[in-house]
Structures are given as C-alpha cells and as structure tokens.
Amino acid sequence: MSKIIVVTSGKGGVGKTTTAAAIATGLAQKGHMTAVIDFDVGLRNLDLILGCERRVVYDFVNIIKDEARLSQALIKDKRTDNLYILPASQTRDKEALTHEGVESVLNDLQEQGFDYIVCDSPAGIEHGALMALYFADEAFVVSNPEVSSVRDSDRILGILQSRSRRAENGGEPVKEHLILTRYDPQRVDNGDMLSVDDILEILAVPLLGVVPESKSVLQSSNSGVPIILDELSPAGQAYQDIVSRFLGEDLPHRFMRVEKKPLLRRLFG
C-alpha cells in the first residue's frame, strides 16, 4: 500500500522543495520505490533541484488533461535507483489541478507499486497547496525558527486537520511531523531565533529533525544535486537522519546546540 506524504509550509522560502527532493531521494536510497510530484504549477522548481530540467517533455497537468500518459511524464532519476519525478507545468494556471485529476494520478502511481508518493506543495493555502495536502496520509511541515514562519506553520496545521480527505471522511488524522530548517544554535543562544523548545511548545507537533543553516544547501540546489547526497555536509547528514527516523530508527537529534571546539582549536584555531 502506497503512502502519500505532503511536504508543506505556511511561508515561502523555508526550504520546502529542497526538503521534498531530499526526503524522496533518501527514501529511494533506502530501497523504497518513490515518486515525487511538483504541485507548484506555474513555477516548477523541483526539476531544477533534482537536476532533470532538460529532460522534461510532459508534466503533471498534461497527465491530468489526458494529453500524455503517466509513463511518458515520469522522469527516472539518473543518480538514485527507485526515484521518479513528475514535474509541474511552468505555463499552466494553478486551477488546472482538479480533485479528480490529482486523485487519478495518485491512484495510477499506487497501482504501479510505488511505496511512497511525495507531494511537493506550494507555500501557503492557495489552490495547488490545498490540492497537495488533501490526499495526504502524512505531512512534513517545514518551518524556519522565525516567528512569522512558525505562525504560518500553525495555520497549515489547522488546514491539515480540517480540509484533508481524512478530515472530511472522519478518518484517522493526517500524521504530522515537523522539520526545522536553517537552524543556527548560535543565533538561538543570542536570542535572534526561536529555540526548538519554543517552537515545539507553540506547534505541538513531533520533531522529525533539525537542518542546520549551511551554504552547501544553496550550492547543492544550484548544481542540481539533492543535498542529502552530500554526505560531508551537516545539512545532508541532517536529512539522512530525518529519513531514517521517519522509517523507524531511533536516532538522537543533532545540530541543535553550539558545537564546542576542542581545547587546542580554541587556543590556536
């Protein structure tokens, strides 16, 4: 049985598409057949981050409008076995996504045996975002440690609890997970950012992981390589931990406190 995951946020620019690409790649690396869908019709960034923008011929909207078959639009990732990308359209209107059309694509992916379907949602609560979260079984809510981002994440949690298919049908609630990105423990200690404890007290959602602020995230995105494949980067390691925790491993959280330098580095570094 496939599991549908929505990667969502209330505020734009929090690293949501980076997170969707990393999570999908990590699940595929662990041997799970994984499809990742870009719901951000009109913008289309997921294919850039996954480095397959030149291979896009058909897109999500073409499938919904019966202009192409799913097998024609799915792009197999060139680095990671088991990973397939369904890009968004850059030219269509967001209203092109219909409940019936999205449900049909998700059903087709489930019938093809995908273990996980990761939906990269646009930020906020516009049409594409509501469509991405409606069919979700689980939600990864991505937030920065800033008041505005946390407040908007709380808004998204309210939408998940009231406007998902599970909520409409009176079923089990969408399972929620929190991912904090661009976290800088030094700035938290200086009082410039909210702490993990502050955010958990406000949102009351289980923490899946903390991704530290890192220049390697931008470098990775610009080169079309998911950050999770950069095993030397703290951000890449954080996403590896997040995927492992999601799959049931009990790992301690990292990157939440200022790293103490060894004595010799403090004296001579």
Side-chain angles (χ1 to χ4, degrees), residues 24-36 75-85 113-116:
T25 302
L27 289 170
Q29 278 185 316
K30 296 281 189 181
H32 300 287
M33 279 286 289
T34 304
V36 56
I75 300 171
K76 188 178 188 309
D77 189 79
K78 54 193 172 191
R79 290 172 296 253
T80 309
D81 288 339
N82 304 319
L83 178 61
Y84 292 80
I85 302 110
F114 281 93
D115 301 308
Y116 291 100

Side-chain angles (χ1 to χ4, degrees), residues 117-138:
I117 302 168
V118 179
C119 303
D120 178 23
S121 168
I125 55 172
E126 46 89 348
H127 181 74
L130 295 176
M131 204 61 68
L133 67 80
Y134 181 77
F135 296 98
D137 299 309
E138 307 209 20

Side-chain angles (χ1 to χ4, degrees), residues 6 42-43 85 103 116 141 143 150 194 208 213 227 246 250 267:
V6 63
L43 291 178
I85 302 110
E103 184 172 28
Y116 291 100
V141 178
S143 182
V150 174
L194 295 173
L208 199 53
E213 177 80 67
I227 183 64
F246 175 69
D250 184 13
L267 290 175

